[in-house]
Amino acid sequence: MAFLQQAPRLDHPYRADPWLRGCLDRTVPADRRAALDRDLDALGDYAVQAWERASQSTRHKPRLTNWDAWGRRVDRIELTTAWREGPALTTGHGILAAGHDAAPTARLEAFARVYLYHLASEFYTCPLAMTDGAATALKASGNNALMARALPHFLSRDPATFWLSGQWMTETAGGSDVGGTETTARLGEDGQWRLHGRKWFSSAVVGEAALALARPEGAATGTGALALFYVETMDGPSRKPQLIIDRLKDKLGTHELPTAEIHLDGLPAWPVGDLAHGVRHIAPMLNVTRTWNAVCAVASMARAVALATDYARRRQAFGQLLIDQPLHARTLADMQAEFAGAFALTFEVAHLLGRVEQGAAAPHEVALLRLLTPLAKLWTGKLAIWLCSEALECFGGAGYIEDTGLPQLLRDAQVYAIWEGTTNVLSLDTLRGLDHGLDALATATRQWMTDACEPECAAMVTATLASAAACAQSRGADRAALESGARGLALTLARCAAAALLVRQARHERALGQVRAAAALRRFVQHGLDRLCRPDAADDALLLQR
């Protein structure tokens, strides 16, 4: 065989990413940039090394050993190399702790680190997201004892003292609907609460702690009677005997991430707040974990676009490089434009989160964050699947071959639309944020699009937003119609917000003599902003009848 095709190479994910660098140039103060650049350079180096390492080795899954050679229950999980390297990288580069610094850009800076680290981490970022969410929930709870006990570990910059936290919510009775939770919390004579029950999907079971929903013994049924508890899973180097790992899940993707089914047989626990309204205590973490989800989805898109574009510069077909063939070039440009919109919206949410947490937000931005967070999560989750699928197609048959590492991009992307709330769940959550959120979004888009260098695009955003608001208002009295159209409404609002942010970025780049964002904006708007559907309940019934 005389011909050997060159494999795609991964450019340095920080130095070669104009969207990330442009965002940071516009937002991060100079006095914070040098330290951030050092971390981002190092994490980009690690990402390149991880890609090269993965291309030269066989993938491994974590392995559960329930019993040692002498019959003792150990429930030991053997992790991949990237997962064993996770604590040192996390603490050394402030991937988690930096987001809790007292600065309005702290969250943005931390999520820039996450963006570069995510794929190289083999989804070690999943328990990091859970840990960040747990730290946020404990801060919001006002439980000083638990904060003093856990936060120094969760936010440690020393791998020797760093802890991961899980979130144990999902049971066989339901995922998003936690009202059927069967785990029971019992108060012993010694004053210690203990948990008894089964958790069906636990993605951070290798951690040292977790937050878990449980129903206090004797409490009423339903979601409102659930309480949120803090637990610790380890006795020194050994797992607590009251935590039993039944098995690891065999999943479509995220294979390196050990997801477990567990039994709790009297595991000691401490209430985070009052012994009810546990879901309310979870709420503060949702802005955090959903933003992690969106950032990681955008990171997968960035990798897919980067590899497909590099390959197009190496692969010849019909006498030309793929990059020089007009239709293929248009396909790559379309992917780049969609990614640019997703990046702009996601990192605006990250910046908003930090400003709101630090009390530096404008009055309308609290409502804006409430609306944009589910929008960014649901839209990027769906978009990542489409974009990774397109990228695989750009490789032809090679994109379907496991040992290229490419199919993993698509399999892993499917999880973004499921974790932290499915598209439908988050579309319905978007409806709950409309009351003040629509006005806040209208205010924000006007500000973002001031002095627009692409006025036709700005006008399209304004018109589509007005149409979406009118649609929501017209269906307000018909709850069924409002809910059945929630997905289309949410996708429309997400695309309008992304386009408005690209208008802002294009204006910023124009002052620097750059035109990339303007090109992305024009192409993004050409793809359409309006995803509104005009639901017909009668047609729904006809299509779903037996």
Side-chain angles (χ1 to χ4, degrees):
M1 184 171 63
F3 174 76
L4 291 174
Q5 173 61 45
Q6 289 185 19
R9 296 179 186 171
L10 181 66
D11 283 340
H12 194 278
Y14 179 44
R15 298 173 202 144
D17 190 328
W19 303 105
L20 178 59
R21 296 179 71 87
C23 172
L24 300 180
D25 288 345
R26 183 176 53 80
T27 56
V28 177
D31 63 342
R32 297 183 63 84
R33 188 63 186 272
L36 176 61
D37 278 345
R38 285 194 295 272
D39 283 331
L40 298 183
D41 269 329
L43 290 168
D45 291 342
Y46 182 76
V48 172
Q49 295 163 9
W51 170 252
E52 294 173 351
R53 180 170 66 189
S55 67
Q56 298 168 8
S57 62
T58 302
R59 292 182 64 199
H60 296 284
K61 294 183 180 182
R63 188 172 70 177
L64 171 64
T65 300
N66 292 115
W67 311 92
D68 72 7
W70 305 102
R72 284 184 286 268
R73 184 92 193 206
V74 290
D75 286 352
R76 183 176 61 248
I77 298 176
E78 298 174 40
L79 300 171
T80 66
T81 299
W83 274 64
R84 293 194 299 271
E85 293 171 346
L89 281 159
T90 297
T91 56
H93 298 295
I95 293 169
L96 196 158
H100 293 259
D101 287 349
T105 59
R107 282 292 188 185
L108 179 68
E109 296 169 35
F111 279 119
R113 294 170 167 94
V114 173
Y115 172 75
L116 294 178
Y117 177 53
H118 169 55
L119 288 175
S121 81
E122 297 179 351
F123 278 76
Y124 184 76
T125 46
C126 170
L128 291 184
M130 304 297 103
T131 306
D132 196 356
T136 302
L138 290 180
K139 285 183 176 181
S141 74
N143 189 321
N144 292 323
L146 289 184
M147 283 191 281
R149 185 182 185 107
L151 292 185
H153 293 290
F154 293 166
L155 304 180
S156 175
R157 291 179 180 263
D158 179 355
T161 60
F162 177 63
W163 285 4
L164 288 175
S165 173
Q167 290 179 14
W168 298 346
M169 313 297 170
T170 303
E171 301 190 6
T172 53
S176 299
D177 180 6
V178 297
T181 295
E182 296 176 339
T183 298
T184 301
R186 298 173 187 162
L187 184 62
E189 294 181 359
D190 59 356
Q192 177 68 63
W193 286 93
R194 297 180 183 275
L195 303 187
H196 300 263
R198 185 182 183 209
K199 296 295 182 181
W200 188 74
F201 203 97
S202 304
S203 286
V205 74
V206 296
E208 289 80 7
L211 297 183
L213 282 176
R215 195 177 308 279
E217 196 168 38
T221 59
T223 304
L226 295 174
L228 184 65
F229 289 88
Y230 166 84
V231 301
E232 293 176 3
T233 65
M234 307 296 288
D235 276 326
S238 301
R239 198 173 305 281
K240 290 191 174 182
Q242 304 96 334
L243 170 59
I244 301 165
I245 301 177
D246 293 331
R247 64 170 177 167
L248 297 183
K249 297 286 195 181
D250 188 10
K251 299 168 293 181
L252 171 69
T254 65
H255 289 167
E256 293 84 0
L257 165 61
T259 304
E261 295 179 20
I262 60 176
H263 267 96
L264 308 176
D265 188 19
L267 184 67
W270 294 265
V272 172
D274 58 288
L275 292 172
H277 308 297
V279 175
R280 188 182 302 164
H281 292 295
I282 295 171
M285 73 174 67
L286 293 180
N287 280 344
V288 173
T289 55
R290 288 173 177 173
T291 304
W292 276 80
N293 198 97
V295 169
C296 292
V298 172
S300 285
M301 295 184 225
R303 176 66 59 87
V305 171
L307 292 175
T309 304
D310 182 83
Y311 186 71
R313 296 190 175 103
R314 300 175 186 280
R315 175 66 174 172
Q316 282 200 1
F318 308 108
Q320 279 185 304
L321 290 172
L322 294 181
I323 198 72
D324 294 326
Q325 302 199 23
L327 182 55
H328 196 83
R330 169 62 62 89
T331 300
L332 292 172
D334 285 341
M335 294 162 60
Q336 183 70 250
E338 290 293 311
F339 160 75
F343 180 94
L345 178 57
T346 297
F347 275 82
E348 181 63 22
V349 169
H351 198 189
L352 264 176
L353 175 62
R355 296 205 304 274
V356 169
E357 287 182 336
Q358 297 299 324
H364 71 282
E365 288 186 322
V366 175
L368 183 64
L369 177 65
R370 169 65 183 86
L371 179 64
L372 290 187
T373 301
L375 291 180
K377 190 278 179 190
L378 70 88
W379 177 48
T380 58
K382 299 299 283 187
L383 186 59
I385 300 167
W386 170 80
L387 201 147
C388 288
S389 178
E390 283 287 312
L392 263 61
E393 195 173 338
C394 289
F395 287 90
Y400 204 65
I401 303 302
E402 277 295 335
D403 56 7
T404 64
L406 298 167
Q408 180 183 355
L409 285 172
L410 179 57
R411 281 201 312 274
D412 287 350
Q414 183 63 60
V415 81
Y416 301 128
I418 297 173
W419 276 350
E420 302 306 306
T422 62
T423 307
N424 283 354
V425 166
L426 288 169
S427 297
L428 296 175
D429 186 52
T430 296
L431 298 182
R432 292 188 283 273
L434 289 181
D435 285 346
H436 301 291
L438 277 178
D439 288 341
L441 181 57
T443 298
T445 54
R446 285 195 297 271
Q447 293 173 351
W448 297 336
M449 297 192 300
T450 299
D451 191 23
C453 59
E454 297 287 337
E456 297 86 356
C457 294
M460 182 67 73
V461 172
T462 301
T464 307
L465 270 179
S467 178
C471 182
Q473 186 175 16
S474 69
R475 298 176 192 165
D478 185 345
R479 186 66 190 181
L482 186 63
E483 289 190 5
S484 65
R487 182 187 282 224
L489 176 63
L491 292 173
T492 299
L493 294 176
R495 294 187 67 82
C496 285
L501 289 162
L502 286 176
V503 171
R504 182 184 67 181
Q505 185 64 22
R507 183 184 70 238
H508 173 74
E509 289 188 4
R510 179 182 59 182
L512 302 174
Q514 301 169 1
V515 295
R516 182 190 297 265
L521 167 65
R522 290 191 297 270
R523 183 62 55 82
F524 184 82
V525 172
Q526 287 171 9
H527 294 165
L529 303 178
D530 188 340
R531 297 294 189 269
L532 296 171
C533 61
R534 278 74 183 177
D536 187 318
D539 282 348
D540 292 349
L542 286 171
L543 291 167
L544 296 176
Q545 68 184 4
R546 291 184 181 275

